[in-house]
Amino acid sequence: YFYRMNFNNIDFSISNNIARITLNRPDAGNTLNIELAKELYKATNIVATNNNIKVLILTGKGKLFCGGGDLKFLLSNEDKIKETLLEMTHYFHGAIARMTRMEAPVIIGINGTAGGGGFSLAITGDIIYSVKSAKFTVAYTNAGLSPDGSSTFFLPRIVGMKRAKELMLTNRIFSAEEALEMNLIDQVLDDQEQLDQAIEKQAEIFMKGPKKAYAGVKKLLNISFDNGLETQMDIEGIKISENAESLDGVEGLKAFSEKRKPNFNE
């Protein structure tokens, strides 16, 4: 099974239960405008509603992962900047919500520098890999703006409130190694080739894994900061019991008991 949809600003395909989105405005640093935001939303919407997809890979083409908002585009709409940004963030935020809520794990491959909205997008993945040469910066206040793209939600949850304030107020540029130390990313790879290999290896693992169990992990963690202990444990009980009676759950339990490798295919 292979599917490809033609977009102007992203490459989007589905093959062997793996969906791939590649930001494809390399000459503009993969910066965000309304058209790219709409395409990103449409692609993630397709992935989120396709039960056959077991993993989503998101990366960028060229030297940058994403340089944030397209300032030339924004300035060209200076007379209606508020309307333009509200529309753009509607689609951009919709795409991030789809990735966060979708059952399939999301692997983000940071192929180069991520700044502003690109930084926000980069840290939304379930598993995040980066090339060693990538640089990171929150960047927004340098342009007189406040952050968007979910970074005020995810960043303090990952690095703590104090560090989040420091990164957002100073806009300092930091390396992939420091991003790893702060738990913003999961692994640093030497170059593009190693990045691609790491992404494909993890995607294969997810593709052969228990989809409903992965979905359960994402759902439980997404709500964990909103609930008290007893409420969260009640939901855990419901979710593990649902997974236990699924085909993959039964197979996993049998394989574990029989000391063999499970064959998940639900």
Side-chain angles (χ1 to χ4, degrees):
Y1 173 74
F2 181 80
Y3 171 89
R4 182 185 295 278
M5 179 172 280
N6 292 322
F7 288 108
N8 294 322
N9 298 278
I10 65 172
D11 291 339
F12 176 56
S13 64
I14 303 169
S15 179
N16 297 327
N17 305 110
I18 299 174
R20 291 177 170 84
I21 297 173
T22 304
L23 306 179
N24 189 16
R25 295 187 74 213
D27 293 340
N30 294 324
T31 49
L32 297 155
N33 57 18
I34 283 182
E35 189 176 5
L36 190 151
K38 284 182 176 179
E39 291 177 2
L40 190 61
Y41 175 75
K42 187 167 186 177
T44 54
N45 210 41
I46 291 170
V47 176
T49 55
N50 187 327
N51 291 327
N52 294 317
I53 292 174
K54 293 191 172 182
V55 58
L56 168 63
I57 297 168
L58 171 65
T59 188
K61 185 174 290 185
K63 294 182 179 180
L64 274 69
F65 170 72
C66 175
D70 185 338
L71 300 185
K72 289 182 180 179
F73 164 76
L74 293 176
L75 289 172
S76 71
N77 290 275
E78 186 178 359
D79 58 335
K80 52 177 182 176
I81 189 85
K82 185 175 182 179
E83 175 190 342
T84 299
L85 270 170
L86 279 174
E87 183 178 3
M88 190 165 85
T89 54
H90 171 76
Y91 290 106
F92 183 43
H93 292 171
I96 290 171
R98 290 291 183 272
M99 291 192 295
T100 301
R101 306 295 183 194
M102 69 175 56
E103 293 188 345
V106 177
I107 303 172
I108 290 185
I110 303 169
N111 58 293
T113 293
F119 171 83
S120 299
L121 180 62
I123 65 171
T124 62
D126 299 312
I127 300 293
I128 307 171
Y129 299 138
S130 174
V131 292
K132 192 174 183 178
S133 59
K135 302 295 182 184
F136 298 82
T137 177
V138 183
Y140 289 94
T141 59
N142 279 346
L145 303 173
S146 53
D148 69 347
S150 78
S151 57
T152 59
F153 182 88
F154 283 114
L155 188 60
R157 282 167 167 78
I158 298 168
V159 303
M161 185 63 74
K162 188 68 184 72
R163 179 53 62 89
K165 284 182 180 179
E166 183 259 326
L167 294 176
M168 288 181 163
L169 292 172
T170 68
N171 298 305
R172 68 181 178 85
I173 299 170
F174 57 97
S175 67
E177 293 289 354
E178 187 175 352
L180 180 64
E181 291 172 7
M182 288 190 284
N183 292 321
L184 282 168
I185 60 179
D186 297 291
Q187 192 174 347
V188 176
L189 290 309
D190 285 341
D191 53 34
Q192 184 69 47
E193 183 179 356
Q194 288 190 16
L195 177 69
D196 292 341
Q197 290 173 353
I199 290 170
E200 292 302 320
K201 182 179 179 180
Q202 186 60 60
E204 285 291 324
I205 293 170
F206 282 144
M207 192 179 70
K208 296 175 181 177
K211 180 183 176 183
K212 288 185 177 179
Y214 295 148
V217 169
K218 290 187 65 168
K219 182 174 183 179
L220 289 166
L221 291 178
N222 281 340
I223 62 175
S224 66
F225 282 86
D226 302 325
N227 295 323
L229 173 62
E230 286 75 18
T231 300
Q232 185 72 9
M233 289 195 298
D234 282 343
I235 300 169
E236 286 179 346
I238 292 168
K239 185 56 65 178
I240 194 172
S241 62
E242 289 175 349
N243 281 323
E245 72 170 358
S246 70
L247 293 175
D248 280 349
V250 172
E251 167 61 13
L253 290 169
K254 286 182 177 178
F256 194 84
S257 175
E258 296 165 7
K259 297 181 180 179
R260 61 174 173 82
K261 190 175 182 179
N263 181 26
F264 298 120
N265 54 23
E266 192 168 359

